[in-house]
């Protein structure tokens, strides 16, 4: 019942443990999100600008994309140990693919005449990517960022299977092992609240940066 879930959260709060779990999960998600998004934007721009890089990288990236999140866990433990690095890396992997896919799709939808006009005005590789292509693909990029952030929260639970002692993924497993369904439901609710709040903040940034867009928003 809801009162049991509330009491479980109250017990963690009174023991000064609830804030610890919130901070741990938020830190892992946002560090992984920043890392994954940065790599996705860099590689996405390279693929969008160069047909050769596209042909070299796209088949491998699409193959890696099909690997389930839990399949990365044993490999990351062997490579990186059991500290924070494998957890953040796994979240970054989850974030990378939606951001990359949407950015490349947005670049492919840019009118070719815009690129030709920019080239006629002297824009070349870096200036063309930063001042023409990236702004034109910004709506698709923000779609990818929001999907990537949601994916980051999904991968967080798998990441916190890696010898974690903090975070809501750890609480989910701890609740399962101890038969505490109130802890499990409380963790799910907090993951939903944190995920929605972070998406809302990213949506506010999207609206601010895309004020110039005159897109249809429904009737």
């Amino acid at each position: 019942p809801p009162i049991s879930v509330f009491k479980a959260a109250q017990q963690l709060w009174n023991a000064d443990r609830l804030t610890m779990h919130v901070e741990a999960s938020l830190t892992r998600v946002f560090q992984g999100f920043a890392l994954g998004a940065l790599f996705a934007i860099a590689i996405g721009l390279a693929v969008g600008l160069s047909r050769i890089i596209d042909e070299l990288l796209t088949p491998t990236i699409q193959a890696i994309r099909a690997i389930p999140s839990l399949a990365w866990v044993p490999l990351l433990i062997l490579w990186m140990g059991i500290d924070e690095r494998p957890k953040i890396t796994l979240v970054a992997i989850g974030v990378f693919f939606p951001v990359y896919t949407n950015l490349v799709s947005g670049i492919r939808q840019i009118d070719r005449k815009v690129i030709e006009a920019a080239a006629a005005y002297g824009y070349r590789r870096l200036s063309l990517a930063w001042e023409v292509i990236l702004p034109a693909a910004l709506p698709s990029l923000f779609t990818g960022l929001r999907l990537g952030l949601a994916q980051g929260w999904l991968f967080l639970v798998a990441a916190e299977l890696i010898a974690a002692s903090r975070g809501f993924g750890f609480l989910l497993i701890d609740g399962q092992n101890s038969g505490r369904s109130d802890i499990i439901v409380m963790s799910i609710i907090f993951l939903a609240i944190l995920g929605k709040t972070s998406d809302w903040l990213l949506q506010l940034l999207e609206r601010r940066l895309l004020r110039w867009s005159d897109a249809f928003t429904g009737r």
Side-chain angles (χ1 to χ4, degrees):
I3 189 63
S4 297
V5 178
F6 175 77
K7 286 181 178 178
Q10 191 176 42
Q11 288 173 0
L12 286 174
W13 175 264
N14 292 336
D16 292 328
R17 293 176 57 200
L18 185 60
T19 305
M20 173 186 72
H21 294 298
V22 172
E23 289 178 354
S25 292
L26 279 175
T27 301
R28 289 164 183 155
V29 167
F30 285 122
Q31 287 182 353
F33 175 75
L35 184 64
L38 183 63
F39 274 97
I41 292 171
I43 297 175
L45 285 174
V47 168
L49 280 170
S50 172
R51 190 172 299 174
I52 296 175
I53 296 177
D54 184 9
E55 293 174 353
L56 287 173
L57 294 184
T58 297
T60 303
I61 290 174
Q62 295 304 327
I64 295 174
R65 181 184 179 187
I67 298 174
S69 59
L70 288 176
W72 290 101
V73 172
L75 186 62
L76 292 176
I77 291 175
L78 285 175
W79 280 354
M80 300 180 177
I82 58 174
D83 58 4
E84 291 298 303
R85 290 181 299 165
K87 301 176 182 64
I88 294 168
T89 301
L90 186 59
V91 174
I93 291 171
V95 171
F96 175 87
F97 293 104
V99 179
Y100 166 83
T101 302
N102 280 273
L103 176 57
V104 172
S105 176
I107 292 173
R108 292 287 179 259
Q109 294 173 16
I110 297 174
D111 193 333
R112 187 172 58 185
K113 293 187 287 293
V114 173
I115 307 300
E116 293 172 352
Y121 277 98
Y123 287 93
R124 292 297 179 263
R125 292 285 180 180
L126 289 178
S127 60
L128 181 67
W130 183 252
E131 298 186 42
V132 178
I133 291 177
L134 191 58
L138 209 55
S140 296
L141 174 59
F142 266 103
T143 299
L145 288 172
R146 292 181 64 188
L147 290 172
L149 182 59
Q151 190 85 337
W153 283 105
L154 295 177
F155 271 60
L156 173 71
V157 176
E160 290 181 339
L161 294 175
I162 307 175
S165 58
R166 298 177 298 164
F168 288 107
F170 162 76
L171 281 180
L172 283 170
I173 303 303
D174 187 55
Q176 177 190 4
N177 293 336
S178 59
R180 294 284 303 274
S181 57
D182 52 345
I183 293 289
I184 294 173
V185 175
M186 182 209 70
S187 302
I188 292 172
I189 291 172
F190 269 97
L191 285 170
I193 292 172
L194 292 173
K196 176 56 184 173
T197 303
S198 58
D199 178 72
W200 174 71
L201 292 173
L202 190 57
Q203 193 174 17
L204 288 179
L205 179 63
E206 178 185 12
R207 289 175 180 173
R208 184 177 182 85
L209 293 180
L210 296 181
R211 286 177 295 181
W212 51 268
S213 177
D214 191 21
F216 177 68
T217 58
R219 293 189 177 186

